[in-house]
Structures are given as C-alpha cells and as structure tokens.
Amino acid sequence: MSTIQKEMPTFVRNEGEWIGKYILIDIEGKILDRIDSHTICQFPTNSLYSYYQINYYNWPDGKQEKYYYPAIYQDKKLWFNTDNVQGYAQEVDTSTIILWFDYKVVPGMHLYEMLQITPCNNYRARTCHWFQNNQLIKRTLVQEERLRQ
C-alpha cells in the first residue's frame, strides 16, 4: 500500500469518474451560472505526480472547457501547481476534504472548497467560496455522482 493510500484514505476514495452539476451563485444567492461537469480522478503509478485530475465543463450554450490538475504528495497533503492555480488539498475526517487554491491568472483571487464523499463512495457534494481581495464574491455548489461503467 502506498503512503498516500495510508495517509489520505478519504481522498483515495475519490478515484474514478464523476458526473455532476455546478451552480454558481452570488453572495445574495442569485444564480450566476449552471455547468455540467465530468471529473476524472486518478492516482497514477510510475509518474511524476501522485494525483492527476481532469475537469470537463459543458454549458447549455455549447461552450466547453477542460482543465488539468496534477499534484504531488507531501506531508499528508496534495500540492497543486499549474499554470492557473497553486494550492493544496488535505483531509479533515473520513468524509471531508478541504482544498485551498490561489488563482495565478487572477491576482488577489483564491478559493476554499469543502468536498464530502458519502460512505457508499458513490456521491460527492462540494461547496466553494470564492474570494477577491479578501472579499467573498461568489459560491459554487456542486452535486456529483460516480460514473458507473
């Protein structure tokens, strides 16, 4: 068993593919956007990275985006450093993971994300709080289900 499997068992339970819905809201609760998502979470072997995530986003108007999030494992955290973001993920308990990202492409913007995976490992809920210059500007609510193949 690898170190990451021993020290981050909650995070390892997220391995696989997830289909979900994102709803972005402003601080008053007004819906800003709705996005369909497909997320792939992998723990590759023989790689520079301990973890690799690919996010696909699809909007009702046909717009699509794809992002890659490789991470290294160190000190019971996954550390991310891409062209767009830098930050980390760490476990809180057997259901909860906290992520913190600083957005390199938007100075002064960062987010905190709380991710919960259910005991059956088939559902996830995520909440993101977006800050710009230390002010909360929006939230993202995410509901996901494991893709069964």
Side-chain angles (χ1 to χ4, degrees):
M1 182 182 285
S2 73
T3 303
I4 194 169
Q5 288 172 313
K6 287 183 216 171
E7 295 181 348
M8 291 189 83
T10 303
F11 205 96
V12 171
R13 289 173 38 216
N14 288 277
E15 184 172 27
E17 296 189 40
W18 300 88
I19 300 298
K21 302 272 185 198
Y22 281 55
I23 299 175
L24 281 77
I25 60 174
D26 68 14
I27 61 173
E28 301 295 324
K30 177 184 169 196
I31 294 176
L32 301 172
D33 209 351
R34 292 178 186 268
I35 307 165
D36 291 331
S37 67
H38 181 179
T39 302
I40 301 170
C41 303
Q42 305 169 330
F43 293 89
T45 55
N46 302 320
S47 172
L48 295 174
Y49 300 105
S50 307
Y51 177 73
Y52 201 84
Q53 182 172 312
I54 305 168
N55 290 17
Y56 298 90
Y57 300 110
N58 295 294
W59 282 261
D61 67 2
K63 177 181 169 184
Q64 297 181 329
E65 292 182 2
K66 181 179 181 179
Y67 294 95
Y68 300 93
Y69 296 100
I72 60 169
Y73 178 71
Q74 184 178 343
D75 300 326
K76 296 184 181 181
K77 291 182 182 178
L78 284 171
W79 295 90
F80 298 84
N81 191 0
T82 71
D83 291 341
N84 296 330
V85 299
Q86 68 178 28
Y88 62 86
Q90 70 183 57
E91 292 186 5
V92 175
D93 58 32
T94 59
S95 296
T96 309
I97 297 163
I98 297 291
L99 293 94
W100 175 84
F101 282 135
D102 183 34
Y103 276 81
K104 296 177 181 179
V105 295
V106 183
M109 180 172 282
H110 66 274
L111 76 74
Y112 286 98
E113 177 179 334
M114 181 173 58
L115 180 153
Q116 269 102 15
I117 185 167
T118 59
C120 70
N121 296 328
N122 289 321
Y123 304 97
R124 301 192 311 184
R126 297 161 51 194
T127 307
C128 304
H129 289 77
W130 295 79
F131 292 85
Q132 177 73 48
N133 299 320
N134 298 312
Q135 296 279 331
L136 179 66
I137 59 167
K138 63 184 172 182
R139 293 180 178 94
T140 306
L141 310 172
V142 184
Q143 184 174 335
E144 295 172 301
E145 183 174 341
R146 185 180 296 279
L147 182 64
R148 293 173 180 84
Q149 299 180 13

